[in-house]
Structure formats: C-alpha cells, structure tokens
Amino acid sequence: MEKGTLIEFKRRGDCAAGQRPFQLGVLDRPEGKKNWVVVDQTGQSHTLHPRQFTFVVVGKTYTPSEITEFQTEAESYIDPSSLEVAWEILLEDSQAVAPADLAQLLFSDQSPPLCYASHCLLSDDRIYFKQKGDRFEPRSASQVAELQHQLEQQAKRQQEQQAFYQKLEQAIAGDTVEWQGCDRTYLQALEKFAALGDEATTRSTATEVLSTLKRGTSPDAAFQLLVDVKIWDPHQNLHLYRSKTPIQFSSSVLAAVDQLLKMPPPDLHAERHDLTSLKVYTIDDESTSEIDDGLSLEFLPDGKQRVWVHIADPSRWITLGDELDREAQRRGTTVYLPTGMIPMFPTELSTGPMSLVQGQICCALSFGVILSAEGAIESYEIRCSQVQPTYRLTYADVDEMLELGVEAESELLALAQWAKQRQAWRKSQGAISIQMPESSIKVEGEKVDIQVLYDSSARNLVAEMMILTGEVAARYGQDNDLPLPFRHQPQPELPPEEELLQLAPGFVRYCAIRSCMPRSEVSISPARHASLGLDCYCQVTSPIRRYADLVAHFQIKAHLRDEALPFSKTDLTTLIPSVTTAAQEATLLERQTNRYWSLEYLRQHGQAVWPAMVLRWLREHENLALILLEDLGLELVMRLDHPVVLGDRLDVKVASVNPRLDRIQLQECFTAAPDAAQEG
C-alpha cells in the first residue's frame, strides 16, 4: 500500500440512525513498523493497523478532499434490490464473488466507485450472501427464505413495539386505549416484574420498557406504570397474582355448567329420604351466597329429640372425573377475600342448585343424631335426603331470637340447648377452647369495613352442629372401614396450669394456649383431634367449598348405595396431599390479603387512636410484643419502650404504614408525655 490509498475502516462512537458504521480515509504516512496514519474527509487523523481496514480501493490514489465526491458517486449505485438479481444469477452455480466481480456483473464496469459500491452491498447484506475470506458465497434458497421471514418478523415486532409505546403514552395521558394481543407480551412482562421483582423471567423486557419511558427500573415503577395506564388499580392484589389462583372459569367448564343446567345427570339416590316436613334453619353471615348447611329438630314419639344437620349435596350434580369435578379438584377450595370470593364451583351451580335455597326442595346429605343428656352421641343415621329450607337467617337474627326466647321457634331454642350440651360434653373429653376475636374485612371500592366477630350463641350453635356432623361422619367411616380424609390433631404440650393461671384471664391466656397448638393433619385413618376433644373427626359440612369434604361425600354416598367406593386407600393417600396443599395455599392467600386490607384500613384512619392489649412477648429482651387492637380484632407487632405486663392496655396510633410493603409502625399515645415512635 502507498500514500493516497483510499481505505474503509470502522467508525468510532455511535452512528446516526440508518448510517453505516464505517468511514473512508486516505493513507497519509506509516506510523511505527505496521501502523498507518489515515486522514478522513474532515482532516482528522486516525492511527490504524492494516487489519482494521475493512476495504482497500485499488487502481487509483486519492486526497482527503476527494473522499466526499468518491463516496457520493459510490452511493448512487448502492441499490439493495439489485443484489437479489445478482444472487439469482450466481445461485445456480453457487459461485462466490469478490466486490470487483459483482461490479462487473451488475454494472459491467470495475471502476473504484463501483467496486466500493459492490463492497457496501455485499458487506451490508444479511440475506443473500455470506462472507468467506475476501469473497462472498450465495446462500441457498431455503436459507434466504428463512432469513427474509426472520427480518419480516423483526420488523413487525419493531412496529408493534412502537405502537405499544404510543398506546402507553396515550393511556398515561388519560385517553382510552384498546390493547391488542401483541401488547400482552409487554404488559405481562411488566405485571410479572411488578409482582415477582428480580425473580421474574420477564425482567429484561420490563426494564427495557421502563427505561424507554424514563420511569426507573424497579418493581415499584412497573406497578405504578400499570396503575397509571389503568391495567391495575392501586390496590392490585399481588399475593393473588403470585399464588396463580385461577380467578375465572374456562369456557369448557362454563359450557359444562350450561349443559348440566339443561340436562342434569340422573340422581344415583332416586329414592331420597323425604325430610321436607321438617322445619330447616340455614344460618350464615348476611353476605354468604353458598348455603351448604341447615339445621332441624325432630320430635320423636318416645319423647326424644333427633338433631338433623342437612349438608348440601353437590355430588348430586356432578360425576366423579367429569369436567366440573376435575376443576374443583384443581382449585381445592373456595377462596374468601375482602374483595369477594373465588369459588370452587361456578356460582351458577354453587349458589343455585347445589345450595340449600330457602323455599326450594333441595338435595342433601342429612345426618340425624340422638344425643344423650350429657351431649354424647347415642345413635346416628346418615340419609341422602330431600329438604325444604324454611328460614334463611343471619347470626344476628338467631342471636336475637335466642335472647328473646321466641317460643314459636321451639326447635331453634332446643338446638341451641343441645349445642351447649355438646360443648360441655366435649370439654369434659378434653376439648380446648380458644376464644379469640376474629376480624371480618369487607372492601367495596376504596371503602374498607372491619367488623369484629366475637363468639355468640348463634355462632356457637352452628359451630357445635358442624363439629357434631364431623364426628358422625368419622364414626361412620370408622365403623364401616371407609377411607376418608380424617382430620386429627396431636395433643399439645400446654404450660402447667399454675403457669397459665398467672396470666391474665381472657385473651392473654387464650393467646398463650394458641401458641402451643400443633397444626391439624389429614390422613386416611381416624385418630384423635385434641382441641375438639374427639376420638375421630372428618370435615363434611362444606362440600361446595372444600374438595376434601366433597371426597368424603362421594365415599359415604357410595357406601350407602352398597357400591364400590370411588376412592381406594391408595387413591386417597395420593389425593389428600394435593388437596391439603391447595387448601393451605388458599389460607395463606386469605391471610396475606386480609393483612393488606387491615393495614390499608389503618392507613385510611391514620389519626385514630386505638385501645390495645398486650397479648404476649415475641422477644421480651427486645421489648417486642404482640398486641391486640380490640376494636378491630387485629393482632400487630409493636416494640415498647417502657415496662409492661401482659394484659396491660395501651392507646396506640399509626406512625407510618405501607400496606403494599407490609410495613407498619405504631406509637403509643400518652396523656402527659410526648409520643415515642415504636415499630412493628
């Protein structure tokens, strides 16, 4: 090479959009043993090694001032469409070409500007030719077709991406936007990143969107963007999102419901026991829509009384293994959230034919029990029945009726008395009663309402009747060697009685006992349930809402028909863990969501002062205690800065709270001393 040789080299720095990342320069002088000083058209010098040259123009020398004219002439011949013509000609013989060869083929001339134009066409091409050394080979027709398809898809994605960003800007500005299917890729990436943070597989896509909008790259930024474009609301339930709990039912499940309502399956218990003459009370919260239990009392000729507990019979409407059964098994349970329930069965069924609806003749699995004077089971029977619920009552209704002693409802009064007998009998059998207040949290829009649920006569009545039914079902399974999902609980190791008696009676003592209680377990063999004081127990009272209860119904009803059991011991051993896990995950979701809305309630009432009771120490050496906000039934952690005794009462208020981050700080309110911040 000599002074004045025109060469191409890679441009330093970023290029303007559409600009080639190369520039031309003229060799000026050697630099050292191998390098050359190259001068571009602006007069700027570059020290380059020959291996940095990407093309050398031969046949003529140039000055830097001639570069622009040379480049302009070459660019006038750069037409990418002409490359396809050359490829079609060269493909037949798979002939490799150099830029000079291509110039001769395309332009019938090998002048320096035309050779350089041919070099630009070949080096910029990503479709028709591939470089091997200093020559370029034509790709096969199939390779070209695939590359063209990829480029078309890439261009389409770029167009969709640009359209997506435009929609984002419109939505942020408050305009109505119709999101398309292609937008879901980006929206789902943002959703996953907002919910899962750095663990999200879509993190790179989400952060790219956020960076483009200059919104930061944190999960909180993704959350706020989704709120700003009205995909999410400010109280989006991230716990629900992370749990992957299905919110909607598939079209195939809804189609199965429609078919079932039009053509119900035959009742396997066509000759149901007629109990429609009995007065039936259904007792639930006012908002309850799935009515799965009712109570009756039958006066027998010998003067005795038979307690009847009627449980809704959803297995009447589904067939084991069908679409609805598989969906219920997959869900495992109905999930109850402050914003509404996520049912195990579609509501068209669960609140309709499956429920015990007032005034309608309904299918039920009825448990009839004669109790001894002490409250023990004297005899029992289980019948597939027909009942006609008489009263749809709330707990408040029943509490009022019991308090007034309404003589017209002597059956209800007698049932309440039997419930007291049962409770006393279970206590004599070692039952452990823990009477802590519970919170009922309901949300409508931005309004959060918290009601405290204390034990009442009505709630005790229903609870005792449900426990009685569970004992009857378990005894039936035990007497007939049926594999059922028996629930049992190990005996807790409670503190010595003298130690418990030193604690304040009521909530403090109950809280201490509660902390010692082991988790209940489920297996196919009956065993003692310590806190209930029962030798065997099996939940069967919520088959619309718990799949394990539905399994027990299938088993018991098959045995009543004297047919083979639908679930063998092996089947249940396999099924129970998955159903139990689903129920535990639902419980965790409910607890997390209730916690969020309880903190949101406290945030909305940030200036309120709440009476609180110190329940127990979590880490006494750090003054970290569990307190109870008595007006709300909420238990929170608080760090105290002065000595207290368990059971002491404090006045507290919120110092700071962030529901989404699950953080709250409380401070004690003093009448004659300055506030001191506490954390929990």
Side-chain angles (χ1 to χ4, degrees):
M1 285 184 291
E2 60 180 314
K3 177 182 172 67
T5 300
L6 185 62
I7 61 97
E8 181 190 73
F9 62 97
K10 191 165 186 179
R11 188 188 306 273
R12 294 176 182 174
D14 297 331
C15 300
Q19 189 178 37
R20 296 182 73 241
F22 302 98
Q23 66 183 106
L24 295 171
V26 173
L27 300 187
D28 183 60
R29 64 184 183 278
E31 179 77 15
K33 293 183 178 180
K34 297 183 179 180
N35 293 340
W36 279 88
V37 174
V38 177
V39 181
D40 62 26
Q41 68 265 37
T42 66
Q44 184 176 354
S45 298
H46 308 264
T47 301
L48 303 172
H49 190 280
R51 64 170 171 266
Q52 294 175 271
F53 302 165
T54 53
F55 186 72
V56 178
V57 178
V58 296
K60 185 181 177 181
T61 59
Y62 294 85
T63 64
S65 62
E66 295 175 307
I67 292 176
T68 300
E69 181 181 352
F70 174 89
Q71 191 165 4
T72 301
E73 182 180 356
E75 287 175 352
S76 68
Y77 289 95
I78 299 176
D79 178 7
S81 64
S82 64
L83 204 59
E84 183 178 3
V85 176
W87 170 76
E88 291 175 347
I89 295 172
L90 296 169
L91 176 62
E92 186 173 346
D93 298 325
S94 296
Q95 182 181 347
V97 293
D101 301 325
L102 184 65
Q104 184 64 41
L105 178 64
L106 291 177
F107 312 117
S108 301
D109 190 349
Q110 292 183 328
S111 66
L114 295 179
C115 288
Y116 181 64
S118 298
H119 159 74
C120 292
L121 284 170
L122 289 168
S123 61
D124 292 348
D125 174 54
R126 295 293 180 268
I127 300 177
Y128 299 105
F129 293 88
K130 57 184 175 182
Q131 187 171 4
K132 279 199 172 181
D134 58 354
R135 301 183 73 78
F136 294 81
E137 293 181 352
R139 301 180 192 271
S140 69
S142 61
Q143 289 174 327
V144 168
E146 176 60 25
L147 287 170
Q148 287 176 326
H149 176 71
Q150 291 177 5
L151 289 173
E152 288 170 1
Q153 291 299 110
Q154 182 180 357
K156 181 181 178 182
R157 284 194 296 271
Q158 289 176 344
Q159 291 176 353
E160 290 174 347
Q161 188 178 47
Q162 290 305 313
F164 172 70
Y165 284 125
Q166 290 177 359
K167 289 179 184 178
L168 281 181
E169 296 292 354
Q170 291 171 352
I172 291 170
D175 297 337
T176 301
V177 170
E178 290 188 12
W179 302 104
Q180 305 297 323
C182 55
D183 301 322
R184 290 305 305 166
T185 299
Y186 303 103
L187 295 175
Q188 288 173 356
L190 289 166
E191 289 172 355
K192 289 182 179 179
F193 183 53
L196 305 176
D198 290 340
E199 296 180 9
T201 55
T202 60
R203 181 182 183 277
S204 59
T205 301
T207 53
E208 180 184 351
V209 172
L210 293 167
S211 296
T212 302
L213 297 177
K214 296 181 173 57
R215 279 183 164 250
T217 57
S218 68
D220 278 348
F223 186 99
Q224 190 57 49
L225 175 58
L226 291 165
V227 171
D228 290 345
V229 299
K230 297 179 176 58
I231 298 294
W232 281 0
D233 67 55
H235 300 292
Q236 189 71 24
N237 192 335
L238 295 183
H239 302 297
L240 177 59
Y241 185 95
R242 295 179 189 121
S243 75
K244 298 182 180 179
T245 299
I247 300 175
Q248 305 294 333
F249 287 95
S250 68
S251 58
S252 60
V253 170
L254 295 177
V257 172
D258 187 58
Q259 181 63 27
L260 184 147
L261 293 173
K262 292 177 181 176
M263 188 179 299
D267 188 354
L268 299 180
H269 293 266
E271 300 296 327
R272 287 181 175 267
H273 192 55
D274 187 357
L275 295 177
T276 56
S277 62
L278 293 178
K279 187 183 293 184
V280 179
Y281 304 92
T282 64
I283 308 169
D284 286 283
D285 287 311
E286 188 172 358
S287 60
T288 301
S289 55
E290 298 176 331
I291 311 298
D292 52 15
D293 58 80
L295 307 177
S296 296
L297 190 76
E298 181 182 8
F299 297 99
L300 301 177
D302 61 2
K304 290 188 175 182
Q305 297 175 355
R306 180 183 286 124
V307 172
W308 284 100
V309 181
H310 313 289
I311 306 301
D313 186 10
S315 62
R316 153 70 183 92
W317 303 99
I318 62 175
T319 303
L320 191 64
D322 69 8
E323 182 95 22
L324 291 167
D325 174 61
R326 292 196 304 271
E327 180 68 12
Q329 181 178 332
R330 184 168 72 92
R331 291 175 178 246
T333 184
T334 292
V335 182
Y336 293 93
L337 303 178
T339 49
M341 71 172 183
I342 304 173
M344 186 173 77
F345 287 110
T347 53
E348 293 88 343
L349 290 178
S350 64
T351 64
M354 287 184 175
S355 278
L356 301 182
V357 181
Q358 180 182 5
Q360 296 184 15
I361 295 179
C362 307
C363 294
L365 187 62
S366 296
F367 296 74
V369 189
I370 296 177
L371 297 169
S372 69
E374 293 77 21
I377 296 175
E378 196 171 276
S379 65
Y380 69 84
E381 59 184 278
I382 303 177
R383 299 291 191 104
C384 286
S385 66
Q386 282 188 332
V387 297
Q388 188 171 18
T390 314
Y391 297 113
R392 166 75 167 92
L393 302 174
T394 66
Y395 289 109
D397 294 333
V398 174
D399 279 328
E400 184 177 3
M401 293 166 71
L402 294 178
E403 185 177 349
L404 295 174
V406 179
E407 294 182 0
E409 302 301 334
S410 58
E411 296 94 337
L412 185 63
L413 301 180
L415 285 167
Q417 188 57 43
W418 282 121
K420 291 179 181 178
Q421 291 297 104
R422 276 290 294 175
Q423 189 174 42
W425 177 82
R426 288 195 304 105
K427 186 174 181 180
S428 71
Q429 303 301 304
I432 301 169
S433 176
I434 300 174
Q435 299 174 11
M436 297 294 294
E438 296 182 14
S439 298
S440 172
I441 306 175
K442 302 295 182 185
V443 176
E444 290 186 11
E446 290 286 324
K447 183 182 178 183
V448 187
D449 181 62
I450 299 182
Q451 299 292 329
V452 183
L453 305 179
Y454 292 102
D455 282 344
S456 71
S457 297
R459 292 186 183 277
N460 286 335
L461 163 60
V462 173
E464 285 300 330
M465 293 298 111
M466 299 306 106
I467 294 170
L468 171 62
T469 308
E471 183 185 8
V472 170
R475 285 181 57 170
Y476 184 82
Q478 188 175 43
D479 293 344
N480 295 283
D481 194 27
L482 302 184
L484 296 174
F486 294 99
R487 185 169 289 275
H488 45 88
Q489 183 186 45
Q491 192 67 31
E493 295 183 8
L494 298 178
E497 188 171 354
E498 57 271 18
E499 186 176 324
L500 283 175
L501 290 175
Q502 291 177 4
L503 297 174
F507 297 149
V508 172
R509 196 174 296 174
Y510 288 137
C511 186
I513 295 172
R514 184 184 63 186
S515 66
C516 300
M517 300 302 294
R519 177 179 290 183
S520 62
E521 302 167 0
V522 181
S523 69
I524 62 171
S525 300
R528 180 171 172 78
H529 196 294
S531 64
L532 296 180
L534 300 178
D535 291 333
C536 58
Y537 180 67
C538 176
Q539 288 183 318
V540 292
T541 57
S542 295
I544 303 176
R545 301 183 280 183
R546 288 192 299 253
Y547 192 77
D549 295 37
L550 185 64
V551 167
H553 276 231
F554 275 122
Q555 296 289 82
I556 292 171
K557 287 177 63 180
H559 189 266
L560 290 173
R561 296 193 304 268
D562 198 24
E563 293 180 359
L565 299 179
F567 297 97
S568 67
K569 290 183 178 180
T570 302
D571 293 334
L572 275 192
T573 301
T574 302
L575 178 62
I576 284 175
S578 65
V579 173
T580 302
T581 298
Q584 290 171 346
E585 290 174 351
T587 299
L588 176 61
L589 172 59
E590 291 169 353
R591 186 180 300 123
Q592 291 171 329
T593 306
N594 283 335
R595 164 82 174 182
Y596 173 89
W597 285 109
S598 64
L599 295 190
E600 174 61 18
Y601 181 89
L602 291 172
R603 187 194 69 79
Q604 293 180 9
H605 298 78
Q607 300 305 311
V609 176
W610 307 100
M613 175 187 292
V614 182
L615 288 179
R616 70 183 181 96
W617 292 111
L618 300 177
R619 291 195 294 271
E620 188 172 2
H621 64 285
E622 297 179 16
N623 293 325
L624 199 65
L626 184 70
I627 68 166
L628 171 68
L629 303 189
E630 296 181 80
D631 291 349
L632 303 176
L634 299 179
E635 297 180 18
L636 300 169
V637 178
M638 181 175 181
R639 194 182 304 278
L640 303 167
D641 63 356
H642 63 91
V644 298
V645 176
L646 297 185
D648 280 357
R649 282 181 161 79
L650 316 168
D651 287 331
V652 302
K653 64 183 294 188
V654 174
S656 66
V657 60
N658 187 321
R660 189 142 53 84
L661 297 181
D662 192 29
R663 294 175 183 169
I664 182 169
Q665 287 185 318
L666 299 173
Q667 64 183 25
E668 188 173 355
C669 301
F670 298 95
T671 55
D675 292 346
Q678 313 295 332
E679 63 180 315

